[in-house]
Amino acid sequence: MNCKVERLLVNYKTLEEFKKFKEYGIQELSMLEDLETNIIENDSESPFYGIYYGDKLIARMSLYKRSAKSDQYFTPAQEFLELWKLEVLTDYQHRGYGKALVDYAKSIGLPIKTNPRIHSLEFWNKMGFKPVTYDMERDFGENPLIWQPEQA
Ligand code: COA
């Protein structure tokens, strides 16, 4: 099994591959617009990482580094990664590709925050993600899950 995680480039081929994913939306459309209007160059680096099966993109996620200033999830506030749009194409699910992407994100060594999709809680559980401890002071308007590297 090929589980090589690659940083995806923004180009027309990548955007065409993205159409196969359910969570195709605003982020992808604005990438396309930026390409068409030359705001970004063909083959610029994107926030997306993915796994290819042959020349077909079968799994992907988006990873953003957030500064400590924007952190409302960890104590003390610190730099962290926001992981979203994790998705494995239906025919390729349950073969370890989702885990491979999450392991890649973990290997960067920063805490991670994600907003799970409704039916994927058990997967995130297995990946060691936990709900943010409830705190009356905070209203997330979401149900974030977090993961932290082992404290040395
Ligand atoms: N429920 C329970 N356990 C799940 C699961 C699910 N929906 N999806 C994966 N797992 C478990 C696997 O059994 C595996 O456990 P193991 O290590 O003990 O064998 C572990 O999580 C890793 O699984 P993996 O093969 O890496 O998962 P994946 O490649 O299928 O990726 C998702 C997981 C959720 C990202 C992927 O299935 C996906 O994109 N789904 C799209 C829609 C969705 O959210 N579906 C949820 C089911 S309706």
Side-chain angles (χ1 to χ4, degrees):
M1 181 181 70
N2 167 34
C3 264
K4 190 167 149 266
V5 175
E6 296 176 34
R7 180 107 191 224
L8 303 181
L9 300 175
V10 185
N11 55 39
Y12 291 103
K13 184 177 178 297
T14 305
L15 285 164
E16 200 51 41
E17 300 268 12
F18 281 175
K19 287 185 184 160
K20 296 186 202 122
F21 292 81
K22 286 189 200 132
E23 283 192 85
Y24 185 91
I26 294 166
Q27 196 182 4
E28 289 79 0
L29 290 170
S30 80
M31 263 184 191
L32 182 61
E33 204 176 296
D34 290 351
L35 253 189
E36 282 170 348
T37 51
N38 296 318
I39 290 174
I40 48 173
E41 282 171 43
N42 199 32
D43 288 344
S44 15
E45 284 194 336
S46 79
F48 283 97
Y49 293 79
I51 298 173
Y52 284 91
Y53 191 91
D55 62 358
K56 186 180 159 153
L57 184 68
I58 53 137
R60 69 163 194 182
M61 70 176 164
S62 170
L63 265 190
Y64 276 100
K65 204 182 261 189
R66 300 278 187 213
S67 70
K69 258 191 267 169
S70 64
D71 179 12
Q72 23 167 358
Y73 307 100
F74 302 95
T75 317
Q78 54 200 288
E79 191 178 39
F80 68 105
L81 291 173
E82 181 151 26
L83 190 164
W84 46 306
K85 297 212 170 188
L86 173 70
E87 189 174 336
V88 179
L89 294 184
T90 315
D91 291 350
Y92 299 88
Q93 288 175 9
H94 298 288
R95 297 196 208 169
Y97 294 115
K99 180 175 189 301
L101 284 172
V102 174
D103 283 346
Y104 180 90
K106 286 178 175 175
S107 74
I108 296 171
L110 289 172
I112 305 171
K113 176 241 159 185
T114 191
N115 287 323
R117 300 217 261 146
I118 309 160
H119 297 293
S120 60
L121 262 181
E122 220 172 301
F123 168 79
W124 289 109
N125 224 342
K126 280 201 167 150
M127 298 300 112
F129 281 67
K130 306 228 151 54
V132 178
T133 318
Y134 186 69
D135 178 343
M136 292 294 280
E137 301 278 308
R138 308 180 197 188
D139 176 16
F140 294 115
E142 50 179 11
N143 294 298
L145 294 180
I146 53 171
W147 174 88
Q148 286 180 276
E150 295 290 333
Q151 304 292 330

